[in-house]
Structures are given as structure tokens and as C-alpha cells.
Amino acid sequence: MMRDYNSENSSRHRPWTVPENGPTWSQNWNDALFLHWPVSSELIRNLIPSTLEPDLFEGTAWVSIVAFTMENVEHKYLPVPKCISEFHELNVRTYVTSGNYSGVFFLSIEACHHLGAPLSRWMSGMPYRYAEISRSEEVFKASSFGKFERFKCRFSPGYPLAKGTAGLWFTERYALFRMKYGSLLRQEIDHGEWPLFELKIHDVCVDMPQFGLADRPPLYTAYSPGVKAFIWDAVLQKSTALSLLP
């Protein structure tokens, strides 16, 4: 079960305070690759709910691939077996705003666990699906046969990066949004600041044209050894229909 959450240092880097009630989940996001592409705002508007607005950086919308290894998943009350909760994951996300909150909206989340992927989809409401994923110290590879999507990156971490405007904008996100029964939900997230390092890309192949990603190099990249994240239950952000919250 999840260890006690300590929020003493959260206000130092978060744009708003954490909720008074404690988080429900904790998990480690380890050995993360960040790759970011500029895309048109029109494309993003067609991919996100109408209740959200694209969040812009350098005057444009963005789609990011974040490839990492999920480990040490814990629940506030229930034990979580490692055999179903530790796996490599690749998510495709964009950046959005709603009212006074900014955060991420997941376009796709792929996990290489036949049971963990559907369980994560059921428990979190996120668009998890199974994919073939393998990684080594130098290669991260993912293939989703259902939609014929491909990602392969040959890389090596480099020197520590001073976290400038871009690094903060892409990585320090403390809310995620999703739709359920016609209503927009928001989930709060807390973690320490991502320690960022140079990500040397030796070769990258991306085939996800529906997200504006098809064999063009990312504009910004970074590597991180990881963070421990804490996640709250979803709350209603905006209702567009009669809905039942989880």
C-alpha cells in the first residue's frame, strides 16, 4: 500500500497548491525519454474535447512522446501486485488548458503488459492499450499492431540540462484531463521537478500521422532518470451532460 505522502515541498514548483485530501496512487516513472514536435493548433483542436483549449508554446501547439518504465505502483488502501503493475509505457500527449488550469491530454497510452494495459484502462479511465514494447540502454521500440503505429529511438543520455523555459513548459505539468460520460474530469498530479539531461538522438523513426508525427525529427528532447508521482482521484472540471463521477 502507498506510503504517506509529504506535500511540504510541493508549493515550490507547482503553479497551484495540492488538494487538501491526499493522493490515491503513487508510481515511479523511470528512465524517461521526452520528444516534442510542433503541430498545428487546428490538428490539436480536432483531437481534443471541445471543452479544452490547446496550450501554446512559441506560438504553436505541441505533441510529445514520453517513453518510460512504470515501476513501484502503490494504492492508498489496496496492495498492487508487481506482476501486473510494472511495464514499459509509451504515451502520446498534447498540452491543454481549462479555466485556470493547464495540463496534459493523452492521445494514446501504450503499455507492454497483456493484463496491465486493460486493468490500467479500467482503473484510470485513460486510453491504455497493449503494444509490443522493448527497451535496452540505447534503444526504445514500440509497435501497436491494431493501428499500425511504430516508434523506434536509438539514443544515449548526455550532460545535465539547465531547466529553461522549454524544459519547464513540457515537463512540469500537474493536471491531466479526460472525458467521461460527456463531462470533463481533471486529475491532480504531484512530483518533484524532473531532473533533465541531454538526450542524444542517434536515430528515430516515428509513424503516427494521425498525431502529426511521421518521420520528422523532434524539435526538443530530454532524458530523465525519473520521478515518483502521486495521483489524486478525478474531479469534475466541466459538465456538458448529465454524468456520474467515478
Side-chain angles (χ1 to χ4, degrees):
M1 291 184 287
M2 191 175 70
R3 298 175 180 86
D4 291 339
Y5 167 68
N6 188 339
S7 62
E8 290 182 357
N9 297 324
S10 298
S11 60
R12 296 182 181 179
H13 59 277
R14 287 176 54 94
W16 59 83
T17 58
V18 297
E20 292 184 1
N21 62 314
T24 302
W25 294 91
S26 69
Q27 47 197 234
N28 285 24
W29 301 335
N30 291 335
D31 295 315
L33 315 181
F34 292 92
L35 299 91
H36 312 290
W37 288 262
V39 297
S40 71
S41 297
E42 291 74 20
L43 172 67
I44 296 304
R45 289 186 185 278
N46 290 328
L47 293 174
I48 64 176
S50 60
T51 47
L52 292 170
E53 288 292 326
D55 197 2
L56 306 183
F57 177 68
E58 296 182 338
T60 189
W62 294 80
V63 169
S64 297
I65 287 178
V66 184
F68 63 99
T69 299
M70 176 88 76
E71 294 179 302
N72 300 323
V73 177
E74 296 179 320
H75 188 269
K76 188 174 183 178
Y77 301 114
L78 303 174
V80 182
K82 288 188 176 183
C83 62
I84 63 170
S85 63
E86 297 193 350
F87 43 77
H88 304 314
E89 182 174 318
L90 183 145
N91 66 54
V92 183
R93 72 189 197 183
T94 191
Y95 304 89
V96 295
T97 63
S98 176
N100 295 325
Y101 293 93
S102 61
V104 300
F105 182 82
F106 289 110
L107 304 173
S108 174
I109 305 178
E110 300 180 346
C112 67
H113 197 294
H114 285 285
L115 184 57
L119 275 177
S120 297
R121 186 183 188 99
W122 174 68
M123 290 188 295
S124 69
M126 295 290 125
Y128 274 92
R129 60 183 181 179
Y130 174 77
E132 294 286 343
I133 301 178
S134 61
R135 75 174 302 171
S136 65
E137 291 185 358
E138 298 181 346
V139 177
F140 194 107
K141 182 178 180 181
S143 299
S144 179
F145 297 103
K147 295 189 176 181
F148 301 101
E149 295 172 3
R150 301 288 186 272
F151 172 78
K152 182 178 180 180
C153 182
R154 191 165 60 87
F155 66 93
S156 58
Y159 53 82
L161 294 176
K163 190 173 290 185
T165 303
L168 289 169
W169 195 88
F170 286 119
T171 63
E172 300 308 320
R173 295 284 172 159
Y174 297 98
L176 60 87
F177 298 93
R178 61 182 174 93
M179 295 295 295
K180 186 172 184 179
Y181 303 134
S183 293
L184 180 67
L185 305 183
R186 184 186 81 250
Q187 281 185 270
E188 295 277 348
I189 301 170
D190 193 28
H191 54 71
E193 289 192 58
W194 286 92
L196 297 182
F197 292 75
E198 177 191 21
L199 179 64
K200 298 178 181 178
I201 302 290
H202 305 300
D203 180 48
V204 62
C205 177
V206 184
D207 185 15
M208 301 179 185
Q210 72 274 35
F211 303 138
L213 310 180
D215 283 340
R216 60 186 178 107
L219 191 57
Y220 289 104
T221 63
Y223 166 82
S224 179
V227 295
K228 185 178 184 67
F230 298 88
I231 304 170
W232 276 254
D233 288 334
V235 297
L236 180 65
Q237 176 74 7
K238 184 179 292 186
S239 179
T240 56
L242 292 176
S243 63
L244 293 175
L245 291 180

